[in-house]
Amino acid sequence: TAVSPAIDMWGIGASLYWLLYGRPPRENSPTEPPRIRDALLELICEQALREAPIARPTIAELARLLNST
């Protein structure tokens, strides 16, 4: 995988996932509800951790999403 901004976005998503769920993303453990319930943060996490790097939001798209609330 080439280094790109999409890799940074996955890192943001992984860090946010850890904060919300208390474990790394895609860890083989039972799915538990997040420790913090916030629909926007869960949406960002879901989008940032998309499998295909091209499908992940850009930093500009992430900023627009955060500013829309």
Side-chain angles (χ1 to χ4, degrees):
T1 303
V3 175
S4 72
I7 300 299
D8 293 337
M9 184 55 66
W10 196 91
I12 290 170
S15 297
L16 182 58
Y17 190 94
W18 184 274
L19 291 171
L20 290 173
Y21 292 92
R23 59 185 163 80
R26 301 191 177 112
E27 183 178 82
N28 293 330
S29 65
T31 304
E32 298 176 15
R35 298 185 289 184
I36 302 168
R37 293 296 306 187
D38 185 286
L40 178 60
L41 295 179
E42 290 178 48
L43 176 65
I44 291 169
C45 199
E46 174 188 315
Q47 291 181 1
L49 292 172
R50 288 179 177 156
E51 189 70 29
I54 193 74
R56 297 176 196 148
T58 64
I59 294 297
E61 292 167 339
L62 179 61
R64 276 194 297 276
L65 185 60
L66 289 169
N67 288 326
S68 69
T69 60

